[in-house]
Amino acid sequence: MTTRIDRRMAKLKSEGRPALVTYVMGGDPDYDTSLSIMKALPVSGSDLIELGMPFSDPMADGPAIQAAGLRALKGGQTLARTLKLASEFRAGDDETPIVLMGYYNPIYIYGVDRFLADAKASGIDGLIVVDLPPEMDEELCIPALKAGVNFIRLATPTTDDKRLPKVLENTSGFVYYVSMTGITGSALADTAKVSAAVTRIKGHTALPVCVGFGVKTAEQARVIGASADGVVVGTAIVNAIANVLGPKGEKTADPAEAVATLVSGLAQGVRAARLAAAE
Amino acid sequence: MNKPAMPNSFRTGPDEQGMFGIFGGRFVAETLMPLILDLEEQWNHAKNDPEFKAELQNLSTHYAGRPSKLYFAEGLTKHLGGAKVYFKREDLNHTGSHKINNCLGQILLAKRMGKKRIIAETGAGQHGVASATVAARFGYPCVVYMGATDVARQSPNVFRMKLLGAEVRPVTAGHGTLKDAMNEALRDWVTNVEDTYYLIGTAAGPHPYPELVRDFQSVIGSEARAQMLEQEGRLPDVIIAAVGGGSNAIGLFHPFLDDKDVRIIGIEAGGRGLDGVEHCASMNAGKPGVLHGNRTYLLQNADGQILDGHSISAGLDYPGVGPEHSWLRDSGRVQYEPILDDEALEAFQLTTRVEGIIPALESAHAIAHAMKIVPKMDKDQLVIVNLSGRGDKDVHTVANMLGMEI
Ligand SMILES: Cc1ncc(COP(=O)(O)O)c(C=O)c1O
């Protein structure tokens, strides 16, 4: 069974360039704006969308994504509304893969079976759930695979060769390599170490490897994209939204436009990646 | 919830996956997973290592001052006019609460694992003080995360931690209480995973923490059980402890779990009442969910967002509870009851006046429940209340509540 993620990754591979994976928080700063931001992403060059599910206690996220989650929750965002957001986006775009990213509790409370059915119906292609390591696969990973939804695992600098097979075992879609031990929004790790890690992971799997955590600029996207199959940018995009919000959350400029400008630049970086690597 | 079948023993958990029935587990980011597997392995060696046990025993005796006394609270008993009330005097331990039992055990584990830096979260500041104390004693740098609200209401403990050489980092997220401190400690841990030991202060978090914290705290119940047999020639009828994350309570309860005739009662913070959201009674008013590495009863909304809760007592101001308590609740072995802020305050004042003991506000919750049930019991019945800590840290909060100036 192939998913939109598999198809998109295969297409980019044939084009010889890495994917630009963009993260936005669902419902940030409000539902309607969030939908228009999402729609702007593929147009500006994003190949795959990670849609954040806001959670009150995002323990792997730095201040920027924490604040984005709080803005969304304040605006009335719920898991049900995040699914609705995805399906409204999907109505106008049947190709860009959407991966939901977040924490387990809202899914657990929604009910795993009901969640998977609704996620599929909303056009969701994959899941990244930070607090579900392989030891907890029975909770959601196995049911998701059965339902035909990719379960994308995080591999980290602490995932050594001994552990890697366990992490890769039930992973599908792609592998998300977390570039550093840390939370989202931290400074980018040593890029040489990152590409060594990507090579190491590729020795264990045929799946594409995307790298995230710390990538903020087009130049960084270009460097990381030289070895990785995809580059994930989150905090920089979330900050671009925050930067056009006033102290009371009022918009001082169009957030969708701010995001589009940033993402266009990142897309150029990613597209230059392999050219640079070939030089 | 379906009631699980009655097990032969209530003392065998957790299973190999770190589960107590459906509760517990290892819900953590991949970055932390290798580390907690390593911790589990080290703990499995340490707990059967005679040298480790001897070192801990020696520190417990000569540094912490164990065994703590089982004290017949004659003044309170007379005042209440029912069963005989005993206090397990954890307030007399070095640093003033039960928290030192766990910190001594874990600092020895940190040493075994070759870690270079200690981090901890704290609510009331008692665990922060105990962590800073063992860090000072063993020469580790120590960072304590503490909610900004708690920094304000537990200022004596903040100063103690600083004197002990720890860095106290106030956390302003959420209500600035224990939950927020724990999030921030987890973020630090994920960032500094190589050299840092996370000294969790209660019987919660990812496996193996709930188990190892319980085992370090079970000295409370083991001593109390033997002391009661020696002093009264029989087991108590009722044992009571306050439940924040649940470490002092599980420490008292665990050795008694298979004593079928001993009634066991855990006390949750009822705050301003269970009707609204201003309480921390996760087992009376919450439902199972996943937070901070484990599945357990949590205060949350219909969307699975965690609520902040409220308690007069910083140490009970947490919207969750350790997973073993959730399991004991569902299995029916332990009964969990709420006590309101006002009731705890009254117990605090009464104990101070009739016993000459200023209890921690956390412990005052347990005493308040004894005040409700003891008068209805027979004079030859026996009750143990866990006096988990002393109340010096709470005098500012109490003065505020009573409209007095210090
Ligand atoms: C004296 C005292 N008792 C009880 C508690 C609650 O914690 P636990 O439920 O882990 O015993 C605290 C926590 O700070 C405390 O300081």
Short mmCIF file of all heavy atoms in Angstrom, two decimals, chain B residues 174-199:
data_model
loop_
_atom_site.label_atom_id
_atom_site.label_comp_id
_atom_site.label_asym_id
_atom_site.label_seq_id
_atom_site.Cartn_x
_atom_site.Cartn_y
_atom_site.Cartn_z
N GLY B 174 2.14 28.07 32.25
CA GLY B 174 0.95 27.59 32.96
C GLY B 174 0.67 28.41 34.21
O GLY B 174 0.80 29.63 34.21
N HIS B 175 0.31 27.72 35.29
CA HIS B 175 0.09 28.39 36.57
C HIS B 175 1.39 28.56 37.34
O HIS B 175 1.40 29.02 38.46
CB HIS B 175 -0.90 27.59 37.43
CG HIS B 175 -2.33 27.83 37.07
ND1 HIS B 175 -3.38 27.41 37.86
CD2 HIS B 175 -2.89 28.43 36.00
CE1 HIS B 175 -4.52 27.75 37.28
NE2 HIS B 175 -4.25 28.36 36.15
N GLY B 176 2.49 28.10 36.75
CA GLY B 176 3.77 28.19 37.46
C GLY B 176 3.81 27.27 38.65
O GLY B 176 4.22 27.65 39.75
N THR B 177 3.35 26.02 38.46
CA THR B 177 3.38 25.06 39.57
C THR B 177 4.12 23.79 39.13
O THR B 177 4.83 23.79 38.13
CB THR B 177 1.95 24.75 40.08
OG1 THR B 177 1.18 24.27 38.98
CG2 THR B 177 1.30 25.98 40.67
N LEU B 178 3.92 22.73 39.88
CA LEU B 178 4.73 21.52 39.72
C LEU B 178 4.72 20.93 38.31
O LEU B 178 5.75 20.50 37.79
CB LEU B 178 4.25 20.49 40.75
CG LEU B 178 5.06 19.21 40.91
CD1 LEU B 178 6.53 19.48 41.11
CD2 LEU B 178 4.51 18.40 42.10
N LYS B 179 3.55 20.90 37.68
CA LYS B 179 3.45 20.36 36.32
C LYS B 179 4.38 21.11 35.36
O LYS B 179 5.08 20.50 34.55
CB LYS B 179 2.00 20.49 35.83
CG LYS B 179 1.81 20.31 34.34
CD LYS B 179 0.33 20.40 33.96
CE LYS B 179 -0.12 21.80 33.60
NZ LYS B 179 -0.23 22.12 32.19
N ASP B 180 4.41 22.42 35.47
CA ASP B 180 5.21 23.24 34.59
C ASP B 180 6.70 23.04 34.88
O ASP B 180 7.53 23.02 33.97
CB ASP B 180 4.80 24.71 34.75
CG ASP B 180 3.29 24.85 34.70
OD1 ASP B 180 2.71 24.51 33.66
OD2 ASP B 180 2.68 25.23 35.71
N ALA B 181 7.02 22.88 36.16
CA ALA B 181 8.41 22.62 36.54
C ALA B 181 8.86 21.29 35.96
O ALA B 181 9.99 21.16 35.48
CB ALA B 181 8.53 22.61 38.07
N MET B 182 7.98 20.32 35.97
CA MET B 182 8.33 19.00 35.45
C MET B 182 8.56 19.06 33.93
O MET B 182 9.50 18.46 33.42
CB MET B 182 7.22 18.01 35.78
CG MET B 182 7.63 16.57 35.62
SD MET B 182 7.01 15.59 37.00
CE MET B 182 7.69 13.99 36.58
N ASN B 183 7.71 19.80 33.20
CA ASN B 183 7.93 19.97 31.76
C ASN B 183 9.31 20.53 31.49
O ASN B 183 10.04 20.08 30.61
CB ASN B 183 6.89 20.93 31.17
CG ASN B 183 5.52 20.31 31.06
OD1 ASN B 183 5.38 19.10 30.97
ND2 ASN B 183 4.49 21.14 31.08
N GLU B 184 9.67 21.55 32.26
CA GLU B 184 10.93 22.24 32.01
C GLU B 184 12.11 21.34 32.37
O GLU B 184 13.14 21.34 31.67
CB GLU B 184 10.96 23.54 32.84
CG GLU B 184 11.64 24.69 32.17
CD GLU B 184 11.25 24.97 30.73
OE1 GLU B 184 10.05 24.97 30.40
OE2 GLU B 184 12.17 25.16 29.92
N ALA B 185 11.97 20.55 33.43
CA ALA B 185 13.03 19.62 33.80
C ALA B 185 13.22 18.58 32.69
O ALA B 185 14.35 18.23 32.33
CB ALA B 185 12.71 18.94 35.13
N LEU B 186 12.10 18.12 32.11
CA LEU B 186 12.19 17.14 31.02
C LEU B 186 12.90 17.75 29.80
O LEU B 186 13.67 17.09 29.11
CB LEU B 186 10.80 16.64 30.63
CG LEU B 186 10.21 15.61 31.60
CD1 LEU B 186 8.71 15.47 31.39
CD2 LEU B 186 10.89 14.25 31.45
N ARG B 187 12.63 19.05 29.55
CA ARG B 187 13.29 19.71 28.41
C ARG B 187 14.79 19.82 28.64
O ARG B 187 15.59 19.65 27.73
CB ARG B 187 12.67 21.09 28.19
CG ARG B 187 11.26 21.01 27.66
CD ARG B 187 10.65 22.39 27.38
NE ARG B 187 9.25 22.23 27.03
CZ ARG B 187 8.23 22.74 27.71
NH1 ARG B 187 8.43 23.51 28.76
NH2 ARG B 187 6.98 22.51 27.33
N ASP B 188 15.17 20.12 29.87
CA ASP B 188 16.59 20.17 30.20
C ASP B 188 17.22 18.79 30.01
O ASP B 188 18.28 18.64 29.40
CB ASP B 188 16.74 20.63 31.66
CG ASP B 188 18.20 20.73 32.11
OD1 ASP B 188 18.98 19.80 31.81
OD2 ASP B 188 18.56 21.70 32.81
N TRP B 189 16.53 17.78 30.49
CA TRP B 189 17.05 16.41 30.44
C TRP B 189 17.30 15.96 29.00
O TRP B 189 18.33 15.40 28.65
CB TRP B 189 16.07 15.47 31.14
CG TRP B 189 16.64 14.16 31.53
CD1 TRP B 189 17.96 13.86 31.79
CD2 TRP B 189 15.91 12.95 31.73
NE1 TRP B 189 18.08 12.55 32.14
CE2 TRP B 189 16.84 11.96 32.11
CE3 TRP B 189 14.56 12.61 31.63
CZ2 TRP B 189 16.46 10.65 32.39
CZ3 TRP B 189 14.19 11.30 31.91
CH2 TRP B 189 15.12 10.34 32.29
N VAL B 190 16.31 16.24 28.13
CA VAL B 190 16.40 15.85 26.73
C VAL B 190 17.59 16.55 26.06
O VAL B 190 18.23 16.04 25.15
CB VAL B 190 15.05 16.16 26.05
CG1 VAL B 190 15.19 17.08 24.88
CG2 VAL B 190 14.35 14.91 25.62
N THR B 191 17.90 17.75 26.55
CA THR B 191 18.98 18.54 25.98
C THR B 191 20.35 18.07 26.48
O THR B 191 21.33 18.06 25.76
CB THR B 191 18.79 20.03 26.33
OG1 THR B 191 17.47 20.41 25.92
CG2 THR B 191 19.80 20.91 25.63
N ASN B 192 20.41 17.69 27.75
CA ASN B 192 21.69 17.37 28.38
C ASN B 192 21.77 15.91 28.80
O ASN B 192 22.33 15.56 29.84
CB ASN B 192 21.89 18.27 29.61
CG ASN B 192 21.87 19.74 29.23
OD1 ASN B 192 22.73 20.20 28.51
ND2 ASN B 192 20.85 20.45 29.69
N VAL B 193 21.18 15.08 27.95
CA VAL B 193 20.97 13.68 28.30
C VAL B 193 22.28 12.94 28.62
O VAL B 193 22.32 12.05 29.46
CB VAL B 193 20.14 13.00 27.18
CG1 VAL B 193 20.89 12.96 25.89
CG2 VAL B 193 19.68 11.63 27.57
N GLU B 194 23.38 13.35 27.99
CA GLU B 194 24.63 12.60 28.16
C GLU B 194 25.16 12.64 29.59
O GLU B 194 25.55 11.62 30.14
CB GLU B 194 25.73 13.14 27.22
CG GLU B 194 25.49 12.93 25.74
CD GLU B 194 25.46 11.44 25.34
OE1 GLU B 194 25.98 10.60 26.11
OE2 GLU B 194 24.91 11.14 24.26
N ASP B 195 25.16 13.85 30.18
CA ASP B 195 25.86 13.96 31.47
C ASP B 195 24.92 14.19 32.66
O ASP B 195 25.36 14.29 33.79
CB ASP B 195 26.90 15.08 31.41
CG ASP B 195 26.25 16.45 31.30
OD1 ASP B 195 25.05 16.52 30.97
OD2 ASP B 195 26.93 17.46 31.57
N THR B 196 23.60 14.28 32.38
CA THR B 196 22.69 14.73 33.43
C THR B 196 21.85 13.60 34.00
O THR B 196 21.33 12.77 33.26
CB THR B 196 21.78 15.84 32.88
OG1 THR B 196 22.59 16.96 32.53
CG2 THR B 196 20.73 16.27 33.89
N TYR B 197 21.72 13.59 35.30
CA TYR B 197 20.81 12.67 35.97
C TYR B 197 19.57 13.44 36.41
O TYR B 197 19.67 14.45 37.11
CB TYR B 197 21.47 12.03 37.19
CG TYR B 197 20.57 10.98 37.82
CD1 TYR B 197 20.63 9.65 37.42
CD2 TYR B 197 19.61 11.35 38.77
CE1 TYR B 197 19.77 8.71 37.95
CE2 TYR B 197 18.74 10.41 39.29
CZ TYR B 197 18.82 9.10 38.89
OH TYR B 197 17.95 8.17 39.40
N TYR B 198 18.39 12.96 35.99
CA TYR B 198 17.14 13.60 36.42
C TYR B 198 16.65 12.91 37.70
O TYR B 198 16.24 11.76 37.67
CB TYR B 198 16.10 13.50 35.30
CG TYR B 198 14.78 14.19 35.64
CD1 TYR B 198 14.65 15.05 36.73
CD2 TYR B 198 13.65 14.00 34.86
CE1 TYR B 198 13.46 15.68 37.04
CE2 TYR B 198 12.44 14.62 35.15
CZ TYR B 198 12.35 15.45 36.26
OH TYR B 198 11.16 16.06 36.56
N LEU B 199 16.72 13.66 38.77
CA LEU B 199 16.32 13.13 40.09
C LEU B 199 14.84 13.46 40.31
O LEU B 199 14.50 14.49 40.89
CB LEU B 199 17.22 13.77 41.15
CG LEU B 199 17.52 12.98 42.43
CD1 LEU B 199 18.55 13.68 43.29
CD2 LEU B 199 16.31 12.61 43.22
#
